[in-house]
Amino acid sequence: MQERTLSIIKPDGVARGLIGDVVKRLEQAGLRIKGMKMIRMSKEQAKGFYKVHEGKPFYESLTDFMSSGPCVVMVLEGENAIEKYRKLMGATNYEEAEEGTIRKEFASDIEKNVVHGSDARETADFEIRYFFSELDIVSY
Ligand code: CDP
Ligand code: MG
């Protein structure tokens, strides 16, 4: 089933020069990049994006971090894209992530874990619309 998911290279990933490494893995996995831009979220935008985590102990710190520098946001498309990309990312906590995953390879902090990926159809839809208009998404 063709589906879309939202990927973010978080501020730590951009600052550490990992854009190319992440993009290379997406391309090699056959995930098509159909929208891509660099953004800098305000604190309010980060809070809106992570609204599902409002009230959790990590919410304030996470939204400070996500608004602390530029991110690269991408719309990915492909067969089973949501699960496929979650597998490439690895577990939220890099210590529990499988060998060879982006987080296992590059992260060393549970918060600053290099990448974000949508976790279901409904969240993917919300998250893509949060950053992209349909006109920003290229058909090819
Ligand atoms: O990003 P993912 O969907 O794997 O995890 P999440 O549970 O949706 O949490 C969102 C983000 O919050 C994580 O990617 C971490 O950056 C951060 N987080 C944290 O700092 N401490 C936790 N205990 C859990 C999540
Ligand atoms: Mg999540």
Side-chain angles (χ1 to χ4, degrees):
M1 181 68 109
Q2 288 288 315
E3 55 186 20
R4 285 177 177 173
T5 189
L6 183 85
S7 163
I8 305 180
I9 304 175
K10 296 184 178 184
D12 62 322
V14 174
R16 291 170 57 206
L18 298 175
I19 297 172
D21 287 288
V22 173
V23 168
K24 182 168 198 165
R25 284 163 184 251
L26 304 177
E27 290 179 327
Q28 283 176 342
L31 287 162
R32 259 167 300 128
I33 300 169
K34 305 210 63 182
M36 186 180 207
K37 60 187 173 186
M38 183 170 268
I39 59 157
R40 168 81 189 259
M41 273 187 257
S42 67
K43 172 79 174 173
E44 284 313 305
Q45 285 170 327
K47 285 170 81 173
F49 181 75
Y50 277 117
K51 200 154 182 51
V52 337
H53 294 307
E54 198 169 13
K56 294 191 185 156
F58 58 85
Y59 183 65
E60 274 307 315
S61 175
L62 172 64
T63 51
D64 278 344
F65 162 55
M66 290 300 287
S67 56
S68 69
C71 291
V72 173
V73 287
M74 289 174 275
V75 178
L76 308 180
E77 195 175 270
E79 189 72 21
N80 215 7
I82 296 170
E83 199 194 323
K84 196 175 201 176
Y85 175 51
R86 293 286 310 187
K87 285 216 167 110
L88 286 181
M89 288 199 306
T92 309
N93 182 351
Y94 70 98
E95 290 174 310
E96 289 160 15
E98 275 182 52
E99 288 300 330
T101 60
I102 294 168
R103 283 165 165 173
K104 183 72 174 188
E105 200 108 320
F106 300 116
S108 52
D109 187 284
I110 188 166
E111 177 183 81
K112 296 173 183 65
N113 57 4
V114 187
V115 280
H116 166 85
S118 313
D119 62 7
R121 283 283 177 96
E122 302 68 42
T123 49
D125 197 51
F126 167 80
E127 292 177 358
I128 289 168
R129 284 165 198 268
Y130 200 79
F131 296 115
F132 292 90
S133 118
E134 196 56 40
L135 293 172
D136 300 323
I137 302 172
V138 181
S139 57
Y140 66 96

